[in-house]
Amino acid sequence: MASCRLHFPPLSCPSQTPRFSSRNPSPLPLLLNLTPSSSNPQKVSCSGTRRRRLLAVRAHMTTEEKAVSGDRMLVFVPPHPLIKHWVSVLRNEQTPCPIFSKRMFVGNAMAELGRLLIYEASRDWLPTVTGEIQSPMGVASVEFIDPREPVSVVPILRAGLALMEHASSVLPATKTYHLGMARDEETLLPTVYLNKLPEKFPEGSRVFLFDPMLATGGTIVAAVDLLKEHGLANKQIKVISAVAAPPALQKLSEKFPGLHVYTGIIDPTVNDKGFIIPGLGDAGDRSFGT
């Protein structure tokens, strides 16, 4: 019978500043430097190589190759071809709602995009334990995700459910708390109709917050505010979205320094009804066929 000897050292929350290595490089974050302007339209332009990008959002967003200050919000758009593929599937108006969980259907596409973004967002963020185990051929030094410190997963209902569907298959230990929020189609303001957050998150908690569409920013800002009311700091929260737009990113940047946002793509603008353009339509309706 194989024997197992694990050593559990004292654990501490890892640094929130992204670390880069040649073995497993992380995508460079976009440092937001937003200056509101009434004269310039909302637009996003991209150019440069993988290591340098330029975005214009009524002003500009720039990447820096030096150490990132911890008091700025970071936006990550991982340059992975699979992420681009699933975003493209989601964009297509001919992609049907999920039926029988077939691979190319929108529900599955949203889940697959979420899986990839979770993988990217969890780099250097998961607590681990080291030890030794007996393999069939000898003793091996190993490293496991520490199950004593599960990552919390908070989907914003209902579209957030589709984006976080594969969280438990990517993360070895998770706790899920549901947050239901509805947006008034006229005022575009959110209303909370379900709050299953714990009274207070344990010290050192790590939370993934799922909202597929970061459009006007009202819902995601209200959700982050709720998480903070329940004991979290900005750096303990990572937002995962399918598509983001400048208005939401600007509001998050102004209000939550140190927050990290992972998104499949950044689109240029939001229309007067609060929909991202070109976006992918209503993520909730398309995911659940309503």
Side-chain angles (χ1 to χ4, degrees):
M1 180 179 294
S3 62
C4 179
R5 303 196 306 274
L6 289 179
H7 169 62
F8 293 88
L11 297 174
S12 59
C13 182
S15 169
Q16 299 304 307
T17 300
R19 299 192 297 271
F20 307 102
S21 68
S22 59
R23 292 185 306 161
N24 198 19
S26 300
L28 286 174
L30 305 173
L31 300 183
L32 302 194
N33 182 15
L34 304 178
T35 304
S37 170
S38 58
S39 59
N40 295 328
Q42 296 172 351
K43 66 178 182 177
V44 177
S45 61
C46 300
S47 62
T49 65
R50 181 178 178 178
R51 292 192 60 82
R52 298 192 66 86
R53 299 173 187 166
L54 175 65
L55 293 176
V57 184
R58 290 191 177 184
H60 67 278
M61 302 177 183
T62 60
T63 62
E64 295 179 3
E65 297 183 10
K66 59 184 179 181
V68 176
S69 172
D71 62 354
R72 306 185 72 177
M73 188 185 83
L74 304 184
V75 179
F76 296 81
V77 183
H80 198 294
L82 286 175
I83 289 178
K84 296 176 183 178
H85 167 79
W86 291 118
V87 169
S88 299
V89 173
L90 290 168
R91 282 200 193 279
N92 188 354
E93 67 176 5
Q94 299 301 318
T95 302
C97 64
I99 302 174
F100 304 117
S101 298
K102 291 185 178 180
R103 179 173 297 274
M104 292 303 292
F105 282 15
V106 69
N108 189 265
M110 186 71 79
E112 290 300 326
L113 177 60
R115 184 205 300 272
L116 294 166
L117 291 172
I118 292 168
Y119 173 81
E120 294 288 351
S122 60
R123 293 175 186 265
D124 298 330
W125 211 49
L126 302 178
T128 61
V129 292
T130 59
E132 292 183 341
I133 60 170
Q134 180 69 45
S135 83
M137 304 303 293
V139 176
S141 297
V142 295
E143 187 171 358
F144 293 100
I145 303 300
D146 190 348
R148 300 170 302 177
E149 298 190 32
V151 174
S152 295
V153 175
V154 180
I156 299 178
L157 307 186
R158 59 192 163 144
L161 289 171
L163 190 62
M164 60 77 62
E165 182 177 340
H166 291 322
S168 60
S169 69
V170 178
L171 303 169
T174 61
K175 289 184 178 180
T176 302
Y177 303 99
H178 295 92
L179 186 59
M181 306 183 79
R183 186 176 73 168
D184 186 291
E185 297 303 325
E186 294 185 2
T187 66
L188 303 182
L189 298 177
T191 301
V192 178
Y193 63 85
L194 178 71
N195 184 348
K196 291 296 184 179
L197 299 177
E199 183 175 345
K200 185 174 183 180
F201 283 94
E203 184 177 354
S205 292
R206 299 164 179 80
V207 176
F208 287 121
L209 178 61
F210 292 83
D211 187 3
M213 310 302 289
L214 304 185
T216 63
T219 298
I220 191 63
V221 167
V224 175
D225 275 333
L226 275 175
L227 291 180
K228 295 190 66 175
E229 290 174 9
H230 288 257
L232 295 175
N234 295 345
K235 293 182 179 181
Q236 293 174 267
I237 304 168
K238 290 193 176 184
V239 175
I240 296 181
S241 74
V243 184
L249 295 179
Q250 182 165 347
K251 288 179 182 177
L252 289 171
S253 176
E254 292 171 351
K255 192 165 184 180
F256 306 113
L259 185 74
H260 287 188
V261 176
Y262 286 76
T263 185
I265 197 166
I266 299 176
D267 275 355
T269 190
V270 174
N271 67 14
D272 57 1
K273 294 183 178 180
F275 283 92
I276 298 175
I277 304 298
L280 50 84
D282 189 305
D285 285 351
R286 296 192 66 200
S287 292
F288 295 98
T290 57

